Amino acid sequence: MTARQRLRIVPSQFVVEHLPNSTFPEDDDWIALVRAPEGLTVIREAPGWVEGERWKGIYGDGPHNLDKPGMLAALIGPLADSAIPVFVASTYHADLVLVPDHRLEEASTVLREAGHRIAD
């Protein structure tokens, strides 16, 4: 059974950065960090001057149990089937699924067609 979810669009735009020689960012304007052997991945709100890909966030509109299987797969599966790229940061309560800004409307339609509800 598909894990249907209530979702919301995060109003901010985001950027995803790779900092190969860092173990921690120089500022505290980040949303999520992942440290790996090849460097640091940082998600932050996109400043107005930034160039490159901007992402929009789709986030669960309420917590779910960590032991409930399929929550993330229920979101990224339909997006993958529609060839929509994603970048994901999971939290204790829900998953922040980032999609390219210019594909947000398409991603929203795909998720609705998969049975999810997205708050306007």
Side-chain angles (χ1 to χ4, degrees):
M1 179 169 191
T2 302
R4 292 192 173 108
Q5 299 172 54
R6 290 180 322 178
L7 307 167
R8 63 184 168 89
I9 307 298
V10 179
S12 302
Q13 287 185 323
F14 298 95
V15 293
V16 178
E17 301 171 326
H18 176 240
L19 306 176
N21 299 314
S22 295
T23 58
F24 204 80
E26 294 179 8
D27 58 33
D28 61 355
D29 293 336
W30 48 271
I31 303 297
L33 303 173
V34 178
R35 188 175 18 203
E38 60 275 357
L40 190 66
T41 299
V42 180
I43 299 172
R44 65 176 79 235
E45 287 189 33
W49 49 264
V50 75
E51 294 183 23
E53 184 79 68
R54 291 174 182 254
W55 299 77
K56 288 296 287 185
I58 301 168
Y59 191 69
D61 195 21
H64 61 76
N65 293 332
L66 291 177
D67 62 350
K68 186 170 182 182
M71 297 298 286
L72 180 57
L75 300 178
I76 62 172
L79 296 172
D81 290 344
S82 296
I84 298 172
V86 301
F87 191 90
V88 178
S90 295
T91 72
Y92 186 84
H93 294 289
D95 301 298
L96 175 63
V97 178
L98 300 178
V99 298
D101 182 55
H102 67 280
R103 308 243 356 232
L104 177 63
E105 187 173 326
E106 180 184 2
S108 297
T109 298
V110 165
L111 291 171
R112 284 187 178 105
E113 288 174 354
H116 302 289
R117 293 188 330 211
I118 299 178
D120 294 327

